[in-house]
Amino acid sequence: MGRYVLRRLLQLVPVFIGTTLIIYLLVWAIPGDPFAGKCGDRGCPPAYIAEMHEKYNLNDPLIVQYFKYLGKLLTGDFGETYAGVQVGTLIQQAYPITIKLALVALIIEGVIGLLAGILTGLRGRGFLDNLVLVSTLFLISLPVFVTGFVLQIVLGSELGIIRPTVSSNPSIGELIVPGFVLGSLSMAYVARLTRTSMMENRRADYVRTAVAKGLGSRRVVGVHLLRNSVIPVITFLGTDLGTLMGGAIVTEGVFNIRGIGGLIYKAILTKEGTTVTGIVTLLVLVYLLMNLLVDILYAVLDPRIRYD
């Protein structure tokens, strides 16, 4: 198991360097001076532009700039905005809210999606199966921002059950509806993926053998059928946490949540290259760590995987 984890960790190194290099080049290789227009209609003084170029290493070749940035990143320094604010400070303020929102969304999509998929996968075709298929198709067809606006208007403005927008430091209770909106699309996929996987494995030889040996239905389902059926679902849920954090821009905008999505959106509009690079690099790290966690869970659920 140790060699398996070490192999997976070593595979993350070139992926991290490659993805962060691409992000850095995309942000900083844009033609034109990033400080043009920062001082209004009169333009910035040459001394200011020269100082900022020196500060952000813009006089160096791009590849040299990247490795200087990477060196600072490895010490935990995400750089400064053009106004002199540490990007790490901005991330510390915004990230806890986005993590709470993403975890609420992940729990909602995991619990509801898995439960719906397991029930329909075990019972087969019928009213419940049709209900789940229609409702998940409905969620997949709707853009996330439409689901958000509908729930905001119906539950917030019309029925008064929730506040249309959340507070500056929202509690878990305030994030349930935004979390449902954020995780609604993935929840539909989890339900369908679990249903399909359960239906396929119900006809597998090892399940028929377990039934023929006289094992109880709970043991057949809980130990044999469910354990093998959830492997692809765990992959999806693990990688989805990173997607939820990166894709929270729309949901945070609808419910006025001051998280990482709003921060990166504002940074793109104001062309704050350091902030964009720092946040996207952090999202890459989250993706890689979640993939590592999924790989380890794979090996625990199916020991044959670690020997491949």
mmCIF file of all heavy atoms in Angstrom, residues 214-249:
data_model
loop_
_atom_site.group_PDB
_atom_site.id
_atom_site.type_symbol
_atom_site.label_atom_id
_atom_site.label_comp_id
_atom_site.label_asym_id
_atom_site.label_seq_id
_atom_site.Cartn_x
_atom_site.Cartn_y
_atom_site.Cartn_z
ATOM 1 N N GLY A 214 -26.409 -19.003 -0.390
ATOM 2 C CA GLY A 214 -27.392 -18.845 0.666
ATOM 3 C C GLY A 214 -27.160 -17.652 1.569
ATOM 4 O O GLY A 214 -27.723 -17.583 2.670
ATOM 5 N N LEU A 215 -26.320 -16.695 1.143
ATOM 6 C CA LEU A 215 -26.096 -15.509 1.964
ATOM 7 C C LEU A 215 -27.363 -14.663 2.022
ATOM 8 O O LEU A 215 -28.152 -14.633 1.074
ATOM 9 C CB LEU A 215 -24.951 -14.678 1.380
ATOM 10 C CG LEU A 215 -23.570 -15.341 1.343
ATOM 11 C CD1 LEU A 215 -22.546 -14.400 0.729
ATOM 12 C CD2 LEU A 215 -23.128 -15.746 2.747
ATOM 13 N N GLY A 216 -27.558 -13.970 3.122
ATOM 14 C CA GLY A 216 -28.733 -13.123 3.288
ATOM 15 C C GLY A 216 -28.709 -11.954 2.318
ATOM 16 O O GLY A 216 -27.637 -11.522 1.867
ATOM 17 N N SER A 217 -29.885 -11.425 2.016
ATOM 18 C CA SER A 217 -29.963 -10.341 1.030
ATOM 19 C C SER A 217 -29.203 -9.096 1.503
ATOM 20 O O SER A 217 -28.591 -8.386 0.707
ATOM 21 C CB SER A 217 -31.430 -9.999 0.751
ATOM 22 O OG SER A 217 -32.071 -9.625 1.957
ATOM 23 N N ARG A 218 -29.233 -8.825 2.825
ATOM 24 C CA ARG A 218 -28.516 -7.651 3.339
ATOM 25 C C ARG A 218 -27.009 -7.796 3.104
ATOM 26 O O ARG A 218 -26.332 -6.840 2.751
ATOM 27 C CB ARG A 218 -28.791 -7.474 4.825
ATOM 28 C CG ARG A 218 -30.178 -6.960 5.131
ATOM 29 C CD ARG A 218 -30.313 -6.619 6.595
ATOM 30 N NE ARG A 218 -31.641 -6.089 6.896
ATOM 31 C CZ ARG A 218 -32.023 -5.701 8.095
ATOM 32 N NH1 ARG A 218 -31.187 -5.799 9.125
ATOM 33 N NH2 ARG A 218 -33.228 -5.225 8.301
ATOM 34 N N ARG A 219 -26.487 -8.990 3.326
ATOM 35 C CA ARG A 219 -25.048 -9.201 3.145
ATOM 36 C C ARG A 219 -24.686 -9.143 1.655
ATOM 37 O O ARG A 219 -23.659 -8.592 1.280
ATOM 38 C CB ARG A 219 -24.648 -10.557 3.729
ATOM 39 C CG ARG A 219 -23.155 -10.814 3.682
ATOM 40 C CD ARG A 219 -22.749 -12.041 4.500
ATOM 41 N NE ARG A 219 -21.337 -12.318 4.362
ATOM 42 C CZ ARG A 219 -20.378 -11.677 5.000
ATOM 43 N NH1 ARG A 219 -20.706 -10.713 5.841
ATOM 44 N NH2 ARG A 219 -19.107 -11.986 4.821
ATOM 45 N N VAL A 220 -25.531 -9.708 0.821
ATOM 46 C CA VAL A 220 -25.268 -9.683 -0.625
ATOM 47 C C VAL A 220 -25.226 -8.242 -1.128
ATOM 48 O O VAL A 220 -24.319 -7.841 -1.865
ATOM 49 C CB VAL A 220 -26.345 -10.492 -1.389
ATOM 50 C CG1 VAL A 220 -26.176 -10.307 -2.900
ATOM 51 C CG2 VAL A 220 -26.253 -11.970 -1.034
ATOM 52 N N VAL A 221 -26.230 -7.461 -0.683
ATOM 53 C CA VAL A 221 -26.299 -6.066 -1.149
ATOM 54 C C VAL A 221 -25.213 -5.221 -0.504
ATOM 55 O O VAL A 221 -24.474 -4.495 -1.175
ATOM 56 C CB VAL A 221 -27.699 -5.471 -0.856
ATOM 57 C CG1 VAL A 221 -27.714 -3.989 -1.174
ATOM 58 C CG2 VAL A 221 -28.759 -6.199 -1.672
ATOM 59 N N GLY A 222 -25.107 -5.296 0.836
ATOM 60 C CA GLY A 222 -24.203 -4.408 1.557
ATOM 61 C C GLY A 222 -22.735 -4.709 1.333
ATOM 62 O O GLY A 222 -21.924 -3.785 1.182
ATOM 63 N N VAL A 223 -22.356 -5.983 1.306
ATOM 64 C CA VAL A 223 -20.942 -6.351 1.212
ATOM 65 C C VAL A 223 -20.488 -6.534 -0.231
ATOM 66 O O VAL A 223 -19.414 -6.068 -0.620
ATOM 67 C CB VAL A 223 -20.669 -7.650 2.023
ATOM 68 C CG1 VAL A 223 -19.216 -8.090 1.862
ATOM 69 C CG2 VAL A 223 -21.007 -7.430 3.488
ATOM 70 N N HIS A 224 -21.298 -7.195 -1.036
ATOM 71 C CA HIS A 224 -20.848 -7.542 -2.389
ATOM 72 C C HIS A 224 -21.324 -6.535 -3.440
ATOM 73 O O HIS A 224 -20.517 -5.974 -4.173
ATOM 74 C CB HIS A 224 -21.348 -8.949 -2.747
ATOM 75 C CG HIS A 224 -20.794 -10.003 -1.846
ATOM 76 N ND1 HIS A 224 -19.528 -10.505 -1.979
ATOM 77 C CD2 HIS A 224 -21.335 -10.633 -0.773
ATOM 78 C CE1 HIS A 224 -19.297 -11.407 -1.040
ATOM 79 N NE2 HIS A 224 -20.391 -11.515 -0.286
ATOM 80 N N LEU A 225 -22.619 -6.311 -3.514
ATOM 81 C CA LEU A 225 -23.168 -5.490 -4.596
ATOM 82 C C LEU A 225 -22.825 -4.008 -4.415
ATOM 83 O O LEU A 225 -22.281 -3.368 -5.331
ATOM 84 C CB LEU A 225 -24.683 -5.677 -4.651
ATOM 85 C CG LEU A 225 -25.444 -4.894 -5.720
ATOM 86 C CD1 LEU A 225 -24.902 -5.213 -7.097
ATOM 87 C CD2 LEU A 225 -26.933 -5.214 -5.657
ATOM 88 N N LEU A 226 -23.110 -3.477 -3.228
ATOM 89 C CA LEU A 226 -22.909 -2.030 -3.009
ATOM 90 C C LEU A 226 -21.432 -1.660 -3.061
ATOM 91 O O LEU A 226 -21.055 -0.632 -3.631
ATOM 92 C CB LEU A 226 -23.521 -1.646 -1.660
ATOM 93 C CG LEU A 226 -23.674 -0.155 -1.381
ATOM 94 C CD1 LEU A 226 -24.509 0.493 -2.472
ATOM 95 C CD2 LEU A 226 -24.321 0.066 -0.021
ATOM 96 N N ARG A 227 -20.581 -2.481 -2.473
ATOM 97 C CA ARG A 227 -19.151 -2.166 -2.409
ATOM 98 C C ARG A 227 -18.551 -2.006 -3.802
ATOM 99 O O ARG A 227 -17.743 -1.123 -4.047
ATOM 100 C CB ARG A 227 -18.439 -3.278 -1.639
ATOM 101 C CG ARG A 227 -16.977 -3.017 -1.428
ATOM 102 C CD ARG A 227 -16.390 -4.082 -0.543
ATOM 103 N NE ARG A 227 -14.964 -3.911 -0.368
ATOM 104 C CZ ARG A 227 -14.220 -4.662 0.402
ATOM 105 N NH1 ARG A 227 -14.778 -5.641 1.095
ATOM 106 N NH2 ARG A 227 -12.932 -4.462 0.504
ATOM 107 N N ASN A 228 -18.928 -2.875 -4.719
ATOM 108 C CA ASN A 228 -18.386 -2.782 -6.076
ATOM 109 C C ASN A 228 -19.088 -1.711 -6.917
ATOM 110 O O ASN A 228 -18.489 -1.143 -7.824
ATOM 111 C CB ASN A 228 -18.508 -4.142 -6.775
ATOM 112 C CG ASN A 228 -17.526 -5.147 -6.210
ATOM 113 O OD1 ASN A 228 -16.338 -5.111 -6.504
ATOM 114 N ND2 ASN A 228 -18.012 -6.026 -5.354
ATOM 115 N N SER A 229 -20.341 -1.448 -6.588
ATOM 116 C CA SER A 229 -21.092 -0.490 -7.399
ATOM 117 C C SER A 229 -20.700 0.953 -7.118
ATOM 118 O O SER A 229 -20.862 1.826 -7.976
ATOM 119 C CB SER A 229 -22.600 -0.658 -7.148
ATOM 120 O OG SER A 229 -23.021 -1.942 -7.521
ATOM 121 N N VAL A 230 -20.209 1.226 -5.892
ATOM 122 C CA VAL A 230 -19.929 2.629 -5.543
ATOM 123 C C VAL A 230 -18.541 3.087 -5.996
ATOM 124 O O VAL A 230 -18.228 4.266 -5.864
ATOM 125 C CB VAL A 230 -20.065 2.882 -4.026
ATOM 126 C CG1 VAL A 230 -21.480 2.663 -3.568
ATOM 127 C CG2 VAL A 230 -19.086 2.050 -3.237
ATOM 128 N N ILE A 231 -17.716 2.175 -6.534
ATOM 129 C CA ILE A 231 -16.355 2.582 -6.941
ATOM 130 C C ILE A 231 -16.389 3.718 -7.972
ATOM 131 O O ILE A 231 -15.730 4.749 -7.781
ATOM 132 C CB ILE A 231 -15.558 1.363 -7.459
ATOM 133 C CG1 ILE A 231 -15.203 0.457 -6.280
ATOM 134 C CG2 ILE A 231 -14.283 1.814 -8.177
ATOM 135 C CD1 ILE A 231 -14.460 -0.796 -6.661
ATOM 136 N N PRO A 232 -17.142 3.606 -9.077
ATOM 137 C CA PRO A 232 -17.180 4.743 -10.010
ATOM 138 C C PRO A 232 -17.836 5.983 -9.420
ATOM 139 O O PRO A 232 -17.484 7.109 -9.781
ATOM 140 C CB PRO A 232 -17.997 4.202 -11.200
ATOM 141 C CG PRO A 232 -18.764 3.049 -10.666
ATOM 142 C CD PRO A 232 -17.921 2.459 -9.590
ATOM 143 N N VAL A 233 -18.776 5.790 -8.485
ATOM 144 C CA VAL A 233 -19.439 6.936 -7.855
ATOM 145 C C VAL A 233 -18.454 7.694 -6.961
ATOM 146 O O VAL A 233 -18.458 8.929 -6.923
ATOM 147 C CB VAL A 233 -20.666 6.476 -7.042
ATOM 148 C CG1 VAL A 233 -21.384 7.668 -6.437
ATOM 149 C CG2 VAL A 233 -21.613 5.666 -7.912
ATOM 150 N N ILE A 234 -17.601 6.954 -6.245
ATOM 151 C CA ILE A 234 -16.589 7.603 -5.391
ATOM 152 C C ILE A 234 -15.626 8.421 -6.250
ATOM 153 O O ILE A 234 -15.230 9.521 -5.875
ATOM 154 C CB ILE A 234 -15.840 6.536 -4.570
ATOM 155 C CG1 ILE A 234 -16.749 6.024 -3.454
ATOM 156 C CG2 ILE A 234 -14.546 7.108 -3.975
ATOM 157 C CD1 ILE A 234 -16.162 4.916 -2.644
ATOM 158 N N THR A 235 -15.254 7.886 -7.407
ATOM 159 C CA THR A 235 -14.395 8.653 -8.319
ATOM 160 C C THR A 235 -15.055 9.973 -8.679
ATOM 161 O O THR A 235 -14.437 11.042 -8.638
ATOM 162 C CB THR A 235 -14.148 7.857 -9.611
ATOM 163 O OG1 THR A 235 -13.659 6.581 -9.269
ATOM 164 C CG2 THR A 235 -13.158 8.561 -10.497
ATOM 165 N N PHE A 236 -16.317 9.900 -9.014
ATOM 166 C CA PHE A 236 -17.040 11.108 -9.418
ATOM 167 C C PHE A 236 -17.138 12.100 -8.265
ATOM 168 O O PHE A 236 -16.862 13.295 -8.430
ATOM 169 C CB PHE A 236 -18.439 10.721 -9.899
ATOM 170 C CG PHE A 236 -19.249 11.877 -10.400
ATOM 171 C CD1 PHE A 236 -19.095 12.343 -11.697
ATOM 172 C CD2 PHE A 236 -20.146 12.529 -9.569
ATOM 173 C CE1 PHE A 236 -19.829 13.419 -12.157
ATOM 174 C CE2 PHE A 236 -20.884 13.606 -10.010
ATOM 175 C CZ PHE A 236 -20.726 14.045 -11.313
ATOM 176 N N LEU A 237 -17.500 11.603 -7.065
ATOM 177 C CA LEU A 237 -17.662 12.497 -5.918
ATOM 178 C C LEU A 237 -16.335 13.127 -5.523
ATOM 179 O O LEU A 237 -16.268 14.305 -5.169
ATOM 180 C CB LEU A 237 -18.241 11.721 -4.726
ATOM 181 C CG LEU A 237 -19.712 11.330 -4.823
ATOM 182 C CD1 LEU A 237 -20.109 10.439 -3.656
ATOM 183 C CD2 LEU A 237 -20.585 12.579 -4.826
ATOM 184 N N GLY A 238 -15.251 12.344 -5.589
ATOM 185 C CA GLY A 238 -13.944 12.864 -5.198
ATOM 186 C C GLY A 238 -13.480 13.990 -6.091
ATOM 187 O O GLY A 238 -13.038 15.044 -5.618
ATOM 188 N N THR A 239 -13.585 13.783 -7.382
ATOM 189 C CA THR A 239 -13.144 14.825 -8.315
ATOM 190 C C THR A 239 -14.128 15.992 -8.353
ATOM 191 O O THR A 239 -13.765 17.105 -8.728
ATOM 192 C CB THR A 239 -13.000 14.256 -9.732
ATOM 193 O OG1 THR A 239 -14.225 13.607 -10.094
ATOM 194 C CG2 THR A 239 -11.871 13.254 -9.800
ATOM 195 N N ASP A 240 -15.363 15.723 -7.929
ATOM 196 C CA ASP A 240 -16.380 16.775 -8.013
ATOM 197 C C ASP A 240 -16.171 17.869 -6.970
ATOM 198 O O ASP A 240 -16.644 18.990 -7.163
ATOM 199 C CB ASP A 240 -17.770 16.157 -7.840
ATOM 200 C CG ASP A 240 -18.861 17.065 -8.400
ATOM 201 O OD1 ASP A 240 -18.629 17.647 -9.474
ATOM 202 O OD2 ASP A 240 -19.909 17.191 -7.772
ATOM 203 N N LEU A 241 -15.481 17.557 -5.853
ATOM 204 C CA LEU A 241 -15.269 18.585 -4.831
ATOM 205 C C LEU A 241 -14.458 19.746 -5.412
ATOM 206 O O LEU A 241 -14.776 20.914 -5.170
ATOM 207 C CB LEU A 241 -14.552 17.992 -3.617
ATOM 208 C CG LEU A 241 -14.320 18.966 -2.452
ATOM 209 C CD1 LEU A 241 -15.655 19.470 -1.903
ATOM 210 C CD2 LEU A 241 -13.524 18.316 -1.336
ATOM 211 N N GLY A 242 -13.429 19.417 -6.187
ATOM 212 C CA GLY A 242 -12.662 20.473 -6.844
ATOM 213 C C GLY A 242 -13.502 21.239 -7.850
ATOM 214 O O GLY A 242 -13.408 22.463 -7.949
ATOM 215 N N THR A 243 -14.347 20.501 -8.584
ATOM 216 C CA THR A 243 -15.231 21.149 -9.558
ATOM 217 C C THR A 243 -16.212 22.093 -8.866
ATOM 218 O O THR A 243 -16.487 23.191 -9.343
ATOM 219 C CB THR A 243 -16.015 20.091 -10.357
ATOM 220 O OG1 THR A 243 -15.097 19.141 -10.886
ATOM 221 C CG2 THR A 243 -16.803 20.720 -11.474
ATOM 222 N N LEU A 244 -16.739 21.652 -7.720
ATOM 223 C CA LEU A 244 -17.703 22.484 -6.991
ATOM 224 C C LEU A 244 -17.066 23.779 -6.527
ATOM 225 O O LEU A 244 -17.683 24.848 -6.556
ATOM 226 C CB LEU A 244 -18.257 21.707 -5.791
ATOM 227 C CG LEU A 244 -19.165 20.518 -6.112
ATOM 228 C CD1 LEU A 244 -19.502 19.756 -4.846
ATOM 229 C CD2 LEU A 244 -20.437 20.989 -6.785
ATOM 230 N N MET A 245 -15.795 23.706 -6.076
ATOM 231 C CA MET A 245 -15.117 24.922 -5.618
ATOM 232 C C MET A 245 -14.855 25.882 -6.781
ATOM 233 O O MET A 245 -15.033 27.089 -6.676
ATOM 234 C CB MET A 245 -13.800 24.556 -4.945
ATOM 235 C CG MET A 245 -13.982 23.882 -3.616
ATOM 236 S SD MET A 245 -12.427 23.597 -2.811
ATOM 237 C CE MET A 245 -12.970 22.800 -1.307
ATOM 238 N N GLY A 246 -14.424 25.309 -7.904
ATOM 239 C CA GLY A 246 -14.154 26.153 -9.066
ATOM 240 C C GLY A 246 -15.407 26.640 -9.747
ATOM 241 O O GLY A 246 -15.421 27.708 -10.370
ATOM 242 N N GLY A 247 -16.487 25.851 -9.625
ATOM 243 C CA GLY A 247 -17.720 26.197 -10.329
ATOM 244 C C GLY A 247 -18.708 26.958 -9.485
ATOM 245 O O GLY A 247 -19.879 27.104 -9.847
ATOM 246 N N ALA A 248 -18.247 27.450 -8.307
ATOM 247 C CA ALA A 248 -19.168 28.136 -7.403
ATOM 248 C C ALA A 248 -19.384 29.590 -7.786
ATOM 249 O O ALA A 248 -20.099 30.306 -7.089
ATOM 250 C CB ALA A 248 -18.648 28.046 -5.966
ATOM 251 N N ILE A 249 -18.765 30.052 -8.886
ATOM 252 C CA ILE A 249 -18.846 31.469 -9.259
ATOM 253 C C ILE A 249 -20.310 31.890 -9.463
ATOM 254 O O ILE A 249 -20.759 32.907 -8.933
ATOM 255 C CB ILE A 249 -18.030 31.735 -10.543
ATOM 256 C CG1 ILE A 249 -16.548 31.452 -10.283
ATOM 257 C CG2 ILE A 249 -18.217 33.171 -11.012
ATOM 258 C CD1 ILE A 249 -15.676 31.565 -11.514
#
